[in-house]
């Protein structure tokens, strides 16, 4: 009498390291662990904060499934390119060129009005009514705040904070807050 033994095929454990660029590895590890627990996947997930990497260990099929989820979490967030023109003008410049009424402090310009403003800036520079001080550009991610500082000292200069919100349809709501400080006879004044 002979007995044949068949060893059960145990999946070989696998460990993989994935460097993430757009999310914190610790946040990703928390989300992936919750996903693995919910799906009852035999994997362990850990974060390596120095290299911002996620370590996934378990059977090969589960590691691949969790790694696909990690790749979907590590997407570049949507962002907005902001171009600003910082200028000094004569009083009433916006009203004079037809883009504002007295007392207005913010506008939403149509593409046509942007072209009108550009033409007014060019002609205003020629007449010495407009002095373009700076043209900063910045890239700001959705739901974050970008800051531009123009001027050499805390008592003299401009600070602009830009915060975009990007809708699911691609529309952008851009909030801009500015603070102008000028030195007047040794005292700083905010405008």
């Amino acid at each position: 009498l002979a007995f044949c033994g068949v060893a059960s095929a145990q999946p070989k454990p696998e460990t993989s390291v994935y460097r993430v660029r757009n999310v914190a590895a610790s946040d990703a590890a928390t989300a992936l662990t919750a996903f693995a627990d919910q799906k009852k996947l035999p994997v362990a997930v850990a974060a390596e904060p120095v290299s911002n990497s996620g370590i996934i260990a378990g059977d090969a099929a589960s590691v691949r499934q969790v790694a696909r989820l990690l790749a979907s979490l590590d997407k570049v967030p949507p962002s907005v390119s902001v171009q600003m023109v910082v200028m000094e003008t004569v009083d009433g410049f916006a009203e004079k060129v037809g883009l504002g009424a007295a007392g207005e402090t913010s506008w939403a310009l149509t593409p046509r009005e942007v072209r009108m403003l550009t033409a007014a800036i060019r002609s205003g520079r020629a007449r010495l009514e407009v002095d373009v001080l700076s043209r900063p550009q910045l890239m700001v991610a959705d739901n974050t705040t970008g800051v531009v500082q123009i001027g050499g000292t805390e008592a003299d200069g401009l600070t602009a904070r830009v915060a975009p919100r990007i809708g699911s349809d691609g529309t952008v709501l851009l909030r801009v807050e500015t603070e102008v400080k000028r030195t007047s006879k040794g005292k700083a004044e905010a405008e």
Side-chain angles (χ1 to χ4, degrees), residues 18 23 82 86 141 158-159 167:
Y18 300 92
V23 295
V82 178
V86 179
L158 172 117
T159 302

Side-chain angles (χ1 to χ4, degrees), residues 96-170:
K96 183 178 175 182
V97 298
L99 293 175
E104 280 185 298
T105 59
S106 64
W107 304 272
L109 302 181
T110 65
R112 179 178 177 273
E113 291 169 329
V114 170
R115 290 189 302 273
M116 289 172 56
L117 177 60
T118 301
I121 291 170
R122 282 190 189 124
S123 65
R125 287 180 73 188
R127 292 187 312 272
L128 302 176
E129 294 177 348
V130 174
D131 184 16
V132 175
L133 304 174
S134 181
R135 295 179 182 265
Q137 298 180 1
L138 64 154
M139 185 71 73
V140 186
D142 185 28
N143 290 321
T144 61
T145 301
V147 178
V148 172
Q149 291 183 312
I150 301 166
T153 67
E154 288 182 20
D156 199 21
L158 172 117
T159 302
R161 289 173 190 75
V162 181
R165 300 208 77 183
I166 303 171
S168 58
D169 62 351

Side-chain angles (χ1 to χ4, degrees), residues 3-68:
F3 290 98
C4 268
V6 177
S8 63
Q10 291 284 334
K12 197 171 190 181
E14 182 178 298
T15 301
S16 296
V17 178
Y18 300 92
R19 182 155 184 188
V20 290
R21 291 184 171 87
N22 301 296
V23 295
S26 57
D27 293 341
T30 301
L32 296 174
T33 298
F35 172 79
D37 290 347
Q38 180 186 10
K39 299 289 185 180
K40 300 190 183 340
L41 297 175
V43 295
V45 181
E48 199 296 294
V50 174
S51 65
N52 200 42
S53 299
I55 303 166
I56 306 170
D59 68 81
S62 297
V63 168
R64 282 192 303 274
Q65 185 177 359
V66 173
R68 280 193 300 271

